[in-house]
Amino acid sequence: MTGMAENAAYLYIGAVVDELARAGVRHVCLCPGSRSTPLAISFARDRRFRVWTHLDERSAGFFALGLARADRRPAALVCTSGTAAANFMPAVVEALHGQVPLLVLTADRPPELRDCGAPQTIDQIRFYGAQVKWSVEMATPAASEDVMLYARATACRAVARALAAPPGPVHLNFPFRDPLIPTETADEIPPDLSAMARHGRENGAPYVAIAPAGSVPSHEILAALATRLAASPRGLIVCGPMDEPELPGPLTALARSLGYPILADPLSGLRRGDHEMDLVVDSYDALLRDERFAADMAPRMVLRFGAMATAKPLLQYLQGHASATQVLVGRAESLDPTLRASDVIIADSVPFCDALIQTVKDTASKSLQVSTERPSSWEREQLARLVGSDVRGEPGTHSWVSRAPRAYQTHQPWLDTWLIAGDAARSALATTVAAMTETFEGRVFSELSSLLPDGANLVVGNSMPVRDLDTFFPKGGAPARILGNRGANGIDGVVSTAFGVAAGTDCPTVLVLGDISFYHDMNGLLAARRHGLSLVVIVVHNDGGGIFSFLPQAGVEGRSADWSFESLFGTPHGLDFQPAAALYGATYSSAANWAEFRRAVSHGMAAGGLHIVVVPTDRARNVVLHRRCWPAVSASIAGILERMEPDPARRRDREDG
């Protein structure tokens, strides 16, 4: 607020802006417009904010989304009245479903100019409906004591609501009367306006400090779950897209205590990092395409974290084994497209894992103490793994229980089968892909796995790219952050999202997306020159909607000449993106082979600036090459089920079947 003319409107908006800064907001994405002038000038004058101006509201929305993803704090998004606000809608929807904190600040006409034909005026009250967590029609600016304190309190509440679990977007609609620019009208300011209303609390504290509520289940819930887990050796931990950087360590420790493999989506944060990865299975998408493996490896218990994983074979696997107990853990209760979950535990994942590990150990220890029967060999082995020690006072008997990186133990048939089959499948995929001389789309990700430097950001578009990421991007390698808009799974705004991620970090950022997705958001490329940002954009160019070639639509033609697959679904466009690269000042290259691809991507990350690397492919041929991978995986795991000694539960399954 320093240096700002204190007429009523600017004093009021200055209070809002001041409280947003006090609450931790640092980035503002601003679109030009007249009605939003008080917001624009107030943010620009406050040096605590970095203001990013954008000419296209849709791109601005996704840029703010990327910033908030990278920063893990709300970014503010500002526009004028009318249809400008409508262009924020796709990003608002993604923020809600993707659990990204976002503050949407829309300017509006005052009440007396609504519904009377005033230009650039639409109904903006609760404009985003159910797509935001909270929507407020702000009071018209005034410099009264109550209104000023209302402005400060509401700004604090907006930030807290955006961050509260699960995070998401909040909408504040600001009606402004003329004049919209600062004016020297000090007589509007009441002489008795308190210092609190004018300047906020001392020492930079927010007017209302709202502490987030942590969530750890009660001991009774944890104990009941631990008992069920101890009785379910055929268990899985499934991790879908989520952004919890502190979770991998506790989650892998929980998996080890239970003897469960972790099926980790690439957007889960578990395929890259400094945590142990020996229990992480990264090839489940390919494994579960093998009908025999999917049928024989029937789980009895599934612990799920995050949103539903990308891979459709995993969804079908969970739906197909309906008798398995599915327990969802996280900060939202509605993430179950399988419709098979029996329990949902609303909790912060890190303290949940820590508490459950201890409860599992306590439960196993008590079971040993009260048991009157000598446990079976298999039971002894399971209990030893749970408590990390021997049982029945026979030192050394269970020295096989290991904390070493590999967990291949002959006494752990369920876990061993997953891990050995997972390694075999990954090896088969790598060998098959390496033998392909064509520019196979899946190889983009196996190549990137070794090209990304430590700390890099990888942003992935929807449709085929994120699915190929899941299948062909292996675990391990340099730590990297992998991001995607998997809330609503749209193909729009991906370029701008990636630029927002790049703006929020100091690390190289690479984006992989399809040609239609790239076309959707070419306006977003302006951010590179406008804000001096660096980004390597890899465009998988198959001249159309490649994912439809894998869907049933590809095998069905119209009953007459009225339509064709190509016209309705393939949708070839024939665009050459080199002129677009020139328009936005990007370095352009087309990779005819993988050596050229590696050179272009490595140079782009090292040189900085905007680089567009096109990988030309053929849609029909891409289907053939994908389908070449699955028999290779099946061949690699043939015999593994027979070689592994089944645990008692699996033996009963076979005898009953």
Side-chain angles (χ1 to χ4, degrees):
M1 288 169 38
T2 304
M4 183 176 295
E6 289 194 341
N7 58 305
Y10 277 80
L11 193 64
Y12 170 88
I13 295 303
V16 172
V17 168
D18 180 45
E19 291 299 334
L20 293 181
R22 291 169 182 245
V25 179
R26 292 293 178 265
H27 294 283
V28 180
C29 295
L30 177 67
C31 299
S34 175
R35 191 57 49 175
S36 54
T37 297
L39 286 165
I41 291 178
S42 297
F43 276 119
R45 286 183 170 181
D46 194 318
R47 299 304 179 190
R48 291 171 291 181
F49 295 97
R50 172 70 186 269
V51 177
W52 307 84
T53 56
H54 295 269
L55 307 185
D56 181 311
E57 283 85 4
R58 188 173 72 168
S59 293
F62 281 102
F63 187 95
L65 181 87
L67 269 172
R69 282 194 185 279
D71 200 35
R72 297 189 175 96
R73 291 190 293 185
L77 189 55
V78 178
C79 73
T80 190
S81 63
T83 58
N87 283 281
F88 285 164
M89 178 64 89
V92 169
V93 170
E94 177 59 32
L96 179 72
H97 293 275
Q99 300 184 6
V100 180
L102 202 62
L103 296 175
V104 184
L105 314 180
T106 57
D108 200 355
R109 299 270 175 161
E112 65 269 18
L113 291 181
R114 296 172 182 169
D115 295 319
C116 64
Q120 206 169 323
T121 306
I122 63 176
D123 185 355
Q124 293 178 204
I125 298 176
R126 299 190 181 278
F127 186 65
Y128 300 105
Q131 306 306 320
V132 294
K133 296 177 64 180
W134 192 41
S135 184
V136 180
E137 171 70 3
M138 296 293 290
T140 52
S144 70
E145 181 80 7
D146 287 345
V147 172
M148 291 289 294
L149 296 181
Y150 155 83
R152 291 186 177 277
T154 304
C156 293
R157 291 179 65 196
V159 175
R161 287 284 188 100
L163 285 169
V170 165
H171 175 216
L172 304 182
N173 191 56
F174 291 86
F176 292 125
R177 293 188 175 99
D178 292 333
L180 299 173
I181 59 174
T183 58
E184 297 293 345
T185 53
D187 57 334
E188 293 182 8
I189 311 303
D192 60 345
L193 192 64
S194 70
M196 180 74 73
R198 282 175 177 266
H199 307 298
R201 298 195 186 279
E202 296 180 354
N203 303 320
Y207 182 66
V208 182
I210 303 174
S215 176
V216 178
S218 67
H219 175 72
E220 290 76 16
I221 291 175
L222 289 170
L225 178 59
T227 299
R228 295 161 74 186
L229 292 169
S232 303
R234 294 169 65 87
L236 296 171
I237 294 176
V238 175
C239 294
M242 57 186 177
D243 184 21
E244 298 192 43
E246 304 302 321
L247 181 59
L251 189 60
T252 52
L254 175 62
R256 191 176 299 282
S257 73
L258 297 172
Y260 287 6
I262 303 173
L263 311 190
D265 187 279
L267 301 180
S268 67
L270 284 153
R271 290 200 193 178
R272 289 292 172 107
D274 297 324
H275 55 281
E276 293 183 354
M277 297 190 191
D278 52 303
L279 301 186
V280 172
V281 178
D282 60 359
S283 54
Y284 57 86
D285 174 61
L287 280 175
L288 295 176
R289 293 173 188 269
D290 184 277
E291 294 182 1
R292 166 76 187 284
F293 186 90
D296 272 18
M297 298 299 288
R300 294 185 181 276
M301 170 67 71
V302 180
L303 282 178
R304 280 184 41 209
F305 293 81
M308 188 62 209
T310 300
K312 188 174 182 179
L314 177 56
L315 175 64
Q316 294 171 329
Y317 170 75
L318 295 177
Q319 290 174 326
H321 294 296
S323 61
T325 299
Q326 284 197 48
V327 179
L328 275 59
V329 180
R331 296 179 290 179
E333 75 282 354
S334 58
L335 301 177
D336 183 32
T338 71
L339 303 178
R340 301 295 191 276
S342 61
D343 299 83
V344 178
I345 299 176
I346 305 297
D348 292 331
S349 299
V350 172
F352 169 84
C353 288
D354 290 339
L356 183 58
I357 289 170
Q358 186 59 51
T359 306
V360 165
K361 290 182 178 180
D362 292 345
T363 300
S365 179
K366 290 178 181 177
S367 297
L368 291 176
Q369 294 171 11
V370 303
S371 176
T372 58
E373 297 181 4
R374 183 177 180 84
S376 68
S377 174
W378 178 83
E379 290 170 332
R380 290 160 61 83
E381 291 156 4
Q382 294 297 313
L383 291 169
R385 179 161 56 250
L386 292 173
V387 301
S389 61
D390 189 21
V391 297
R392 286 286 181 169
E394 298 176 19
T397 305
H398 295 280
S399 59
W400 58 268
V401 178
S402 173
R403 296 297 181 263
R406 294 310 300 173
Y408 293 163
Q409 309 293 343
T410 58
H411 301 276
Q412 305 175 65
W414 168 261
L415 179 61
D416 282 1
T417 303
W418 272 104
L419 297 181
I420 295 174
D423 282 355
R426 175 58 60 201
S427 178
L429 286 171
T431 300
T432 304
V433 170
M436 298 177 185
T437 58
E438 305 162 70
T439 51
F440 171 50
E441 294 182 11
R443 185 163 174 173
V444 167
F445 294 101
S446 57
E447 292 286 342
L448 279 177
S449 68
S450 59
L451 291 175
L452 293 175
D454 192 354
N457 303 301
L458 175 59
V459 182
V460 182
N462 286 311
S463 291
M464 281 309 297
V466 73
R467 288 165 172 80
D468 283 340
L469 170 78
D470 195 357
T471 306
F472 298 103
F473 192 83
K475 67 182 180 183
R481 192 171 176 196
I482 307 173
L483 302 164
N485 289 342
R486 294 301 290 170
N489 303 348
I491 66 169
D492 50 345
V494 181
V495 172
S496 296
T497 299
F499 272 117
V501 171
T505 65
D506 296 323
C507 300
T509 301
V510 176
L511 166 65
V512 182
L513 77 173
D515 51 283
I516 292 184
S517 185
F518 181 70
Y519 162 76
H520 258 271
D521 195 24
M522 284 195 296
N523 282 359
L525 295 172
L526 185 60
R529 187 169 59 194
R530 193 172 184 84
H531 300 297
L533 297 173
S534 297
L535 181 66
V536 177
V537 182
I538 300 171
V539 182
V540 180
H541 195 339
N542 54 35
D543 192 26
I547 192 171
F548 292 105
S549 297
F550 292 85
L551 301 179
Q553 292 92 321
V556 180
E557 289 289 346
R559 296 182 182 275
S560 67
D562 294 336
W563 68 275
S564 68
F565 171 79
E566 280 292 280
S567 65
L568 294 186
F569 303 103
T571 57
H573 48 74
L575 293 176
D576 177 2
F577 295 119
Q578 188 167 6
L583 176 65
Y584 291 103
T587 299
Y588 177 89
S589 59
S590 180
N593 55 60
W594 295 111
E596 292 182 3
F597 175 83
R598 289 188 288 270
R599 282 195 297 269
V601 173
S602 297
H603 172 72
M605 289 190 291
L610 177 59
H611 295 258
I612 297 174
V613 181
V614 171
V615 181
T617 67
D618 178 84
R619 276 184 280 123
R621 186 63 182 160
N622 184 51
V623 175
V624 173
L625 296 177
H626 271 85
R627 290 173 178 167
R628 186 180 294 175
C629 296
W630 317 138
V633 169
S634 293
S636 74
I637 63 173
I640 287 179
L641 293 175
E642 287 76 8
R643 291 198 301 270
M644 303 304 297
E645 178 188 358
D647 61 36
R650 183 174 163 199
R651 184 182 299 114
R652 285 195 300 271
D653 286 345
R654 289 198 167 183
E655 290 172 354
D656 294 344

